[in-house]
Amino acid sequence: MKGSIPSDNDKILAVLFVEFDNNYGIKLSYQVPDNFIDETTFKILENYFVTKSKQLHGKLIVTQTFDFQTIGIPTEIPHSNAVQNGRKVSIFNIVLITKVGANTDPYEKILKKLISYFTIFEQEKRFLSSEGKNSRIRDIINNIFRGINDHGYCSVNVIDELNVIKLSYVNKDHCVNPPQIKDSDVPIIISNLEECVAWDLTLRELYPFLDNQKPMRLLADLSLLDIMLVKKCIQSLIYYNLAFVVSPIRYSNTYYVTSAIQSIMQSTALQEECIDYVKMDDRYPCPSWEVIFNLYETFQSGIKLKQVFLYEKPFLRNINERRLVEFGLLKGILKRLHRYPIACGSADEDDFLPEVLEYIQHGVLDGQHSYDDICVKLGCKLDKVENDLDFCKNITIVQKLDV
């Protein structure tokens, strides 16, 4: 999965490959950039990179010295067969160097995953003990350095296209806890997923149908995937700040503006982000923040979206109507008013019209299913649900804003 790009303070300054050589002892075999660590500095730190105590093998060791910190996990891989190159084990460390105070948590996960790759490749392909390892290890540490710093992830073909190392930088402080997702929720993609598609088999099947308009149930049906698998995939995208979910956006919906709009009023960066998100055509002048703000302020009277747009005509100001609502929901500027029908009285057939009994039999008139949920569960259009339920004397409609 594609990760997040490290902040300037957390970026990797250098990557080292350190190993124990029978003839030379502890050896700095490769480093990127070249000559970042000189011989004198290396001699001071080498016993932290390849420790004499086996109890420290497999443990994260962080040192803070000079003007940087080092992060490494000394590792010993037993050879599965007879002694290779005069050695029964491969002892090595991949050391990441950052500024003092950089967050080490994401790098610990990267190093642990990298070591698991190296262990498998050594046991199956003699990756570390073969004579041709030099260029491959140099490629790996160079890709880690460039890829993590520039993109938040890297992918390296180690031996062939079937033996690939994939690493991503994930800072949990910048991740979003994924919400519970309903069948009726619509995933909104807010980042380019083309790189991620190659990493995730579920996303590969789902990707052609992600258009920011289809609900989960329809996505599952079209992609021939289990609905729970689709939800987990979207939750993963939300966690990495690549997507969020909204209820279906319809002209018949009602939205209310919230006090969160004040935070954008005080942030030029958020205003520019909003303008860039909602503009409709790059060939025409961008809409001003004042125009966008006035549009959001219109969502106070409880009128339907269709009425707002018919009166204000955002498209004449180069504003994409759907994306205006999406951005409002993403930033908490807008909240949707939902309707939840509740069947009152007994379930006696004489108390309800025949078309309403079907809803009761499906258990959706319990106050827990919104009109959107009912449409998806029963596979029917909103117009039909409204005609069946809105004016039924034994149905109470409860209206609630998004939490």
Side-chain angles (χ1 to χ4, degrees):
M1 179 62 65
K2 183 178 178 180
S4 53
I5 298 174
S7 66
D8 290 341
N9 189 63
D10 291 337
K11 285 186 182 295
I12 301 171
L13 301 179
V15 185
L16 318 179
F17 182 82
V18 182
E19 61 183 327
F20 183 83
D21 185 276
N22 282 0
N23 298 319
Y24 297 99
I26 301 173
K27 177 183 176 184
L28 175 57
S29 298
Y30 318 103
Q31 61 175 309
V32 176
D34 292 336
N35 304 317
F36 183 89
I37 292 286
D38 58 33
E39 187 174 346
T40 302
T41 304
F42 179 73
K43 283 295 181 184
I44 295 172
L45 298 172
E46 64 178 13
N47 288 317
Y48 295 103
F49 299 155
V50 176
T51 65
K52 295 179 180 179
S53 172
K54 290 193 174 183
Q55 292 181 340
L56 292 176
H57 287 180
K59 307 294 185 183
L60 182 75
I61 296 179
V62 179
T63 71
Q64 294 185 0
T65 185
F66 304 102
D67 294 323
F68 55 79
Q69 70 181 7
T70 68
I71 309 161
I73 302 177
T75 303
E76 177 182 301
I77 302 178
H79 294 155
S80 56
N81 299 319
V83 176
Q84 297 173 0
N85 295 335
R87 296 159 57 188
K88 295 181 180 179
V89 295
S90 291
I91 302 173
F92 70 97
N93 197 345
I94 297 171
V95 180
L96 306 180
I97 298 179
T98 66
K99 293 180 180 178
V100 174
N103 185 4
T104 62
D105 289 344
Y107 292 123
E108 180 177 1
K109 293 176 175 59
I110 286 174
L111 289 172
K112 285 182 176 179
K113 189 172 183 181
L114 191 56
I115 287 166
S116 69
Y117 276 121
F118 273 37
T119 301
I120 294 170
F121 293 154
E122 169 62 17
Q123 291 172 344
E124 295 183 356
K125 306 287 185 178
R126 293 183 55 189
F127 173 66
L128 295 172
S129 53
S130 67
E131 295 181 359
K133 69 176 182 181
N134 296 9
S135 61
R136 290 181 296 198
I137 290 178
R138 191 179 290 110
D139 285 344
I140 291 170
I141 65 172
N142 185 65
N143 272 276
I144 293 172
F145 179 74
R146 309 291 177 192
I148 298 297
N149 279 343
D150 295 343
H151 308 292
Y153 66 95
C154 66
S155 177
V156 192
N157 287 359
V158 178
I159 299 168
D160 51 44
E161 60 184 14
L162 298 178
N163 293 278
V164 182
I165 289 177
K166 294 180 177 180
L167 305 168
S168 59
Y169 176 92
V170 180
N171 186 349
K172 288 189 175 180
D173 293 340
H174 299 152
C175 291
V176 177
N177 290 328
Q180 292 296 318
I181 297 179
K182 298 179 179 180
D183 290 6
S184 59
D185 283 337
V186 176
I188 306 296
I189 307 304
I190 54 177
S191 184
N192 191 338
L193 298 184
E194 290 186 3
E195 291 286 348
C196 303
V197 171
W199 293 50
D200 189 288
L201 293 177
T202 301
L203 184 57
R204 187 181 301 174
E205 299 299 320
L206 200 57
Y207 183 70
F209 307 105
L210 293 173
D211 61 357
N212 293 359
Q213 297 185 37
K214 295 181 177 65
M216 295 290 175
R217 172 57 65 184
L218 181 56
L219 288 172
D221 292 343
L222 292 173
S223 61
L224 303 180
L225 293 169
D226 181 78
I227 183 67
M228 295 307 298
L229 203 57
V230 173
K231 289 181 179 180
K232 287 181 179 179
C233 180
I234 298 302
Q235 283 180 320
S236 181
L237 294 178
I238 294 171
Y239 181 81
Y240 290 103
N241 276 306
L242 301 175
F244 67 103
V245 293
V246 299
S247 57
I249 298 174
R250 299 187 179 97
Y251 282 115
S252 59
N253 292 352
T254 300
Y255 297 92
Y256 284 85
V257 69
T258 73
S259 59
I261 197 169
Q262 297 302 322
S263 62
I264 297 189
M265 287 294 297
Q266 299 166 8
S267 172
T268 303
L270 281 173
Q271 292 173 18
E272 292 175 352
E273 181 184 350
C274 179
I275 291 169
D276 186 62
Y277 191 90
V278 307
K279 66 181 178 183
M280 188 164 57
D281 195 326
D282 289 331
R283 295 174 298 177
Y284 298 99
C286 290
S288 68
W289 165 247
E290 288 73 17
V291 168
I292 296 173
F293 174 78
N294 288 334
L295 274 172
Y296 281 132
E297 284 288 289
T298 306
F299 293 95
Q300 295 188 67
S301 54
I303 61 177
K304 294 183 183 298
L305 190 62
K306 180 179 181 180
Q307 294 170 293
V308 173
F309 288 164
L310 280 175
Y311 180 76
E312 298 292 342
K313 297 181 175 57
F315 66 92
L316 294 179
R317 299 178 173 96
N318 197 26
I319 294 174
N320 184 304
E321 296 173 350
R322 171 176 285 275
R323 290 177 69 84
L324 180 75
V325 176
E326 288 176 6
F327 189 87
L329 295 171
L330 172 62
K331 299 299 182 181
I333 299 170
L334 297 179
K335 284 189 179 293
R336 163 90 183 277
L337 186 69
H338 291 275
R339 292 182 293 165
Y340 296 84
I342 304 174
C344 303
S346 66
D348 191 327
E349 293 186 7
D350 295 334
D351 293 340
F352 295 94
L353 296 173
E355 57 266 25
V356 177
L357 289 174
E358 182 183 356
Y359 295 93
I360 295 176
Q361 291 166 1
H362 281 89
V364 295
L365 302 185
D366 56 358
Q368 302 300 313
H369 293 77
S370 69
Y371 275 36
D372 293 331
D373 299 332
I374 294 171
C375 289
V376 169
K377 185 168 184 176
L378 274 59
C380 53
K381 293 187 178 299
L382 180 62
D383 289 347
K384 172 175 168 47
V385 177
E386 290 176 332
N387 290 334
D388 291 344
L389 303 180
D390 275 1
F391 303 104
C392 181
K393 64 179 181 179
N394 292 325
I395 300 294
T396 298
I397 308 296
V398 177
Q399 299 189 96
K400 292 190 293 186
L401 286 173
D402 286 321
V403 178

